[in-house]
Amino acid sequence: MRFLAITLVVHRPDPVTGVLKSTQDRFREVLDNALLAEELGFDGFGVGERHERPFLSSSPPVVLSHIAALTGRIRLFTAVTTLSLLDPVRAFEDYATLDHLSEGRLELIIGKGNGSAQRDLFQVTPEDQWERNAESYEVFRRLWREDRVTADTRFRPPLKDAETWPRPYQQPLRVWHGSATSRESVDLAARYGDPLFSANVTHPIGPYAELIAYYRERWAHHGHDPAALAVGAGTAGLYVARTSQEAVRTYRPVFESNLAFQRQHGLPVVFETLEDFVERSSALIGSPQQVVEKVHRYHERFGHSVLHLPADAGGLDDRAHRDSLTLFQSEVAPVLRKEIPDPSFAWGAGEEPAHA
């Protein structure tokens, strides 16, 4: 199994202290967390893309380029690249450049994105967002593979024998399709034989397991090799401590502050208590053994080989956050790496795929 640390670069007051960091300090925190992820042995670091409050992640290629310059091993992910909002030609230019600057450490997770404010900003409607996402991906995919592209596009000016530069470092680029509960993303991933990344954050396991089962059905329908299928899954929260009592005690103020925020802003509340959150959400809060057992429980339903964890403290103090990640990497990750297979493909340049 492989592990990513992911940030959406949320910029709002700390849920426990109420302190709002400056924009500069928040970006510095993202860079520090990327360095920590590489230091601790994470396999990848991901930066989201959002174009509305309270996020600062409107330009993941820029952030990831800076991280590429500071790191040397860790793979760099987007989470997700909102292709429904972007010109695929401009997205190709940005990411082909980043692919070179990172020496081939780039991977994309694409998706239509969420939020009405960013749809309005880019003049995308709920009715056309899926078609835009599919068209943009199809054009982007061809641009990555072909020196000249002709495409009769609907949502940008048509391309006629178009050349794009620089030509990418990796050929081809691995693209994951991110999805919460949308079958459209799953259909697109299965059609092209691409891996799927389930959000697996907001709800209990049921709808995510159903979507992954549908992905497997569509994968088989398109005639792809079952052994080549790969699934990733997210995590709603993380705090690993020596005992479950310590983990719950430390995480309780974080949960209660987030619950109050949801109620204050009229957001849907799925888990009313911390105990329910620990039991029925994908959050990994407990002792190392409890976390291992919970990941296995999800793996039985998902068959996933990649797991993403929160890169940000999210209300924990910096020491507690670092201690949790360190304990995860020292006592949880080695067990899961041994017991759950990696994806079928090689993870990095020159690396052979590994299996349990």
Side-chain angles (χ1 to χ4, degrees), residues 13-56:
D14 182 284
V16 175
T17 67
V19 173
L20 178 65
K21 294 183 177 181
S22 70
T23 297
Q24 176 67 36
D25 286 345
R26 185 68 183 94
F27 278 124
R28 181 69 253 175
E29 186 176 53
V30 170
L31 301 178
D32 289 343
N33 286 336
L35 289 169
L36 176 62
E38 176 157 276
E39 173 192 332
L40 294 178
F42 277 85
D43 301 292
F45 188 87
V47 174
E49 180 178 335
R50 300 290 189 279
H51 299 271
E52 58 186 330
R53 292 177 184 268
F55 304 99
L56 300 179

Side-chain angles (χ1 to χ4, degrees), residues 94-110:
D94 285 342
Y95 285 112
T97 300
L98 174 53
D99 195 34
H100 279 279
L101 295 175
S102 66
E103 297 183 317
R105 288 187 282 144
L106 174 67
E107 299 199 25
L108 299 189
I109 306 175
I110 68 163

Side-chain angles (χ1 to χ4, degrees), residues 85-343:
L85 310 179
L86 305 179
D87 183 328
V89 175
R90 191 70 185 96
F92 164 83
E93 292 172 336
D94 285 342
Y95 285 112
T97 300
L98 174 53
D99 195 34
H100 279 279
L101 295 175
S102 66
E103 297 183 317
R105 288 187 282 144
L106 174 67
E107 299 199 25
L108 299 189
I109 306 175
I110 68 163
K112 72 169 180 62
N114 295 310
S116 59
Q118 63 181 11
R119 282 202 308 266
D120 293 344
L121 183 64
F122 288 89
Q123 297 184 324
V124 172
T125 69
E127 292 73 29
D128 69 19
Q129 60 187 345
W130 289 113
E131 292 180 20
R132 285 177 178 271
N133 185 63
E135 178 182 287
S136 290
Y137 177 55
E138 288 159 3
V139 171
F140 181 94
R141 192 174 190 274
R142 290 187 60 197
L143 291 170
W144 202 277
R145 288 165 169 76
E146 302 173 27
D147 292 336
R148 293 177 179 272
V149 171
T150 296
D152 186 17
T153 50
R154 288 181 56 203
F155 299 107
R156 59 143 290 130
L159 299 172
K160 184 176 181 180
D161 202 26
E163 288 186 286
T164 45
W165 299 94
R167 299 312 301 154
Y169 185 94
Q170 296 181 88
Q171 193 59 265
L173 174 71
R174 184 155 53 242
V175 177
W176 301 71
H177 295 247
S179 181
T181 56
S182 302
R183 290 194 168 197
E184 290 87 348
S185 291
V186 168
D187 285 326
L188 193 62
R191 184 194 319 167
Y192 284 108
D194 293 332
L196 179 73
F197 221 109
S198 171
N200 190 38
V201 168
T202 307
H203 303 287
I205 195 170
Y208 304 115
E210 291 174 10
L211 198 71
I212 292 169
Y214 176 69
Y215 170 62
R216 294 180 183 278
E217 292 173 11
R218 300 307 297 167
W219 183 275
H221 170 80
H222 288 288
H224 301 303
D225 180 0
L229 183 147
V231 173
T235 306
L238 175 73
Y239 187 69
V240 190
R242 287 294 173 191
T243 67
S244 60
Q245 293 85 355
E246 179 188 351
V248 168
R249 182 174 64 252
T250 302
Y251 200 83
R252 188 174 297 280
V254 176
F255 174 82
E256 291 180 348
S257 297
N258 284 327
L259 182 63
F261 179 87
Q262 291 172 323
R263 287 173 170 161
Q264 179 184 351
H265 292 84
L267 301 174
V269 174
V270 178
F271 306 102
E272 296 278 354
T273 67
L274 175 58
E275 288 70 22
D276 189 36
F277 182 65
V278 171
E279 175 62 27
R280 293 197 306 122
S281 84
S282 62
L284 302 175
I285 300 165
S287 67
Q289 183 58 37
Q290 287 174 313
V291 170
V292 167
E293 290 172 358
K294 189 167 188 179
V295 173
H296 269 291
R297 193 166 81 231
Y298 272 75
H299 179 71
E300 288 173 3
R301 300 286 300 276
F302 293 171
H304 59 310
S305 54
V306 180
L307 180 69
H308 87 52
L309 305 167
D312 301 314
L316 297 167
D317 64 57
D318 291 341
R319 178 62 180 273
H321 177 56
R322 185 184 183 104
D323 287 350
S324 172
L325 291 177
T326 300
L327 190 55
F328 180 90
Q329 283 291 8
S330 63
E331 297 194 17
V332 176
V335 177
L336 295 174
R337 289 186 193 279
K338 181 179 179 181
E339 295 177 350
I340 297 178
D342 283 351

